[in-house]
Amino acid sequence: MNEVLTASADREDDVAPDRAARGEPLKFVKGVPVYTSGRAPAYPRTKAQLGAVRRKPAAGQQPAAYVYVHWYGTRIALWDPEHAVKMRPLSALQRRQMQQRRTCTDCGEVFPVPVWGMCGVCEDREARRRADLRSRTCQDCGTVFRTPTPARSWGDGMCLACDERLERGRRVARSLVERSCRRCLVQLYPLTVWPAISEREQAIADWHCTPCDQEIERERVEAQRLADRARWGDLGPTIAWAQKILADPDAYAILDTETTGLSATSRIVEIAVTTASGTVLLDTLINPGGEPIPAEATAIHKITDAMVEDAPTFSEVLPRLTEALAGRRIVIYNRAYDTGRLGWELHLHHQARGTVDFTKQPRYGARRHPAAQAWLDAQEWEECAMEQYAIFYGDWHDYFGSYTWQKLGGGHRALGDTHTVIRRLEEMAAYPSPFDPVAEHAAA
């Protein structure tokens, strides 16, 4: 046993230090050990290391070992230099080319590795020189200045003279654009006339020539026609409704009121009734029974307490109102509000006569006096003109899922508002059908 251990120790002592492995191999590939980085013997060389001394692996030579040089497992073969063969000597041209690749083209210094042109120091110096030259050179006319001066425009890298010339060109271009059609760039105002026009007139000058205006209008009309066709299921009945009213104007009554506010107990201070043709059937101020008119209401309809002081009460006007509405269908802009105010006035009118004893004043939506409700039920109410005009106007609200109500714009006096309702009806009735070829031809 001792003899075996002694023989093994002698064999380990016989191995040269550079040939001794610095670690155990991970595995063997076709009998060749594979080591991790730093564990292989020192004597084998890579092909690049052999090439540095003008040697290469011999034909049929097997690697002496493999080594992993990266964490992701790149395996490189190592070769025994003793079994490698010499490479052909380099020619003079090859040595000269290798020398050129390792020589800086600016300072001439020769480096151990190729630099492919200038070295890093020379490249930095050249970059600084180019930057300095660019800072002193006008990018438009190419003039090179001795030093960068504060008078130069650093934003665009041009000298002051070129900057001024460019600004003059910009002013001429802006003037040409301002004087030209925005669509086809045809000049609308001569240069001799434009400076004489004031700045305010220049701001509101025509932006398009006549042909472009006509083309824009045709495009707008065509887009509107396509939109009207898409919603004709809503638009068509509204137009037919307005045409029906204007076809027999004396059979319809337009009613409007002005009140002391928007609450459920607001009083009427003015009422007007006309036919659909504009004939006035009733137009009077109404005394709200001594209830003062709030300042915010007066600011809207301009009716004051002094104006209604000697005016008749609703009870005195009720017979004339009933006569004006008799046998006619009633059209109201915001029907729900005005009928609510009429119902409240009727309730107070009949309650004052003591036919029914109410212990509480009814709120909005509560039970009215039976006689007041009977009067309202006896009238023939048409569709709400505000809702119909909202459908006609077509401003759809995605959140509420309906058409947005539009302001009447009648001045907030009862008679003026009734006339405005008639104009809205005429506007709806005269609207051309998007399927009518005559209207299409006229629009084009």
Side-chain angles (χ1 to χ4, degrees), residues 222 224-233 235 434-436 440:
E222 181 61 23
Q224 185 64 43
R225 288 179 62 253
L226 294 177
D228 291 343
R229 287 184 178 183
R231 66 183 193 96
W232 186 248
L235 182 61
F435 302 97
D436 188 357
E440 180 179 354

Side-chain angles (χ1 to χ4, degrees), residues 36-58:
T36 58
S37 178
R39 298 293 183 176
Y43 76 93
R45 299 289 184 268
T46 63
K47 284 187 178 181
Q49 292 172 337
L50 291 177
V53 294
R54 304 302 300 163
R55 299 183 70 86
K56 65 179 180 180

Side-chain angles (χ1 to χ4, degrees), residues 215-399:
E215 181 65 24
I216 292 172
E217 180 61 20
R218 284 194 293 267
E219 292 176 358
R220 186 197 66 79
V221 171
E222 181 61 23
Q224 185 64 43
R225 288 179 62 253
L226 294 177
D228 291 343
R229 287 184 178 183
R231 66 183 193 96
W232 186 248
D234 294 337
L235 182 61
T238 299
I239 296 176
W241 175 79
Q243 292 173 345
K244 177 193 68 173
I245 295 175
L246 296 180
D248 189 8
D250 292 335
Y252 293 86
I254 313 297
L255 184 146
D256 190 81
T257 63
E258 299 300 330
T259 63
T260 59
L262 301 177
S263 66
T265 58
S266 296
R267 303 295 300 273
I268 296 176
V269 295
E270 187 179 38
I271 189 168
V273 180
T274 66
T275 64
S277 60
T279 302
V280 179
L281 303 177
L282 177 64
D283 179 25
T284 179
L285 293 170
I286 294 180
N287 190 322
E291 180 177 334
I293 303 176
E296 53 270 20
T298 300
I300 296 175
H301 49 55
K302 305 299 185 296
I303 300 175
T304 63
D305 293 330
M307 295 171 61
V308 300
E309 183 177 359
D310 297 329
T313 64
F314 180 82
S315 298
E316 296 171 346
V317 174
L318 181 57
R320 296 168 54 193
L321 175 63
T322 304
E323 181 183 358
L325 301 180
R328 292 184 173 92
R329 298 188 63 84
I330 308 170
V331 179
I332 303 177
Y333 204 84
N334 196 354
R335 187 187 69 179
Y337 175 76
D338 282 356
T339 54
R341 303 290 62 72
L342 288 172
W344 176 243
E345 292 288 352
L346 289 166
H347 170 80
L348 296 178
H349 166 74
H350 290 287
Q351 187 182 31
R353 279 146 180 78
T355 55
V356 176
D357 182 18
F358 282 86
T359 57
K360 295 183 179 180
Q361 291 184 345
R363 298 179 182 178
Y364 183 78
R367 184 171 63 86
R368 295 191 180 98
H369 193 287
Q373 189 63 44
W375 189 94
L376 293 174
D377 294 340
Q379 310 306 318
E380 298 184 29
W381 306 101
E382 267 293 334
E383 300 290 337
C384 177
M386 182 174 64
E387 295 179 0
Q388 294 296 315
Y389 187 73
I391 297 173
F392 171 79
Y393 195 83
D395 185 10
W396 181 261
H397 199 294
D398 291 330
Y399 181 81

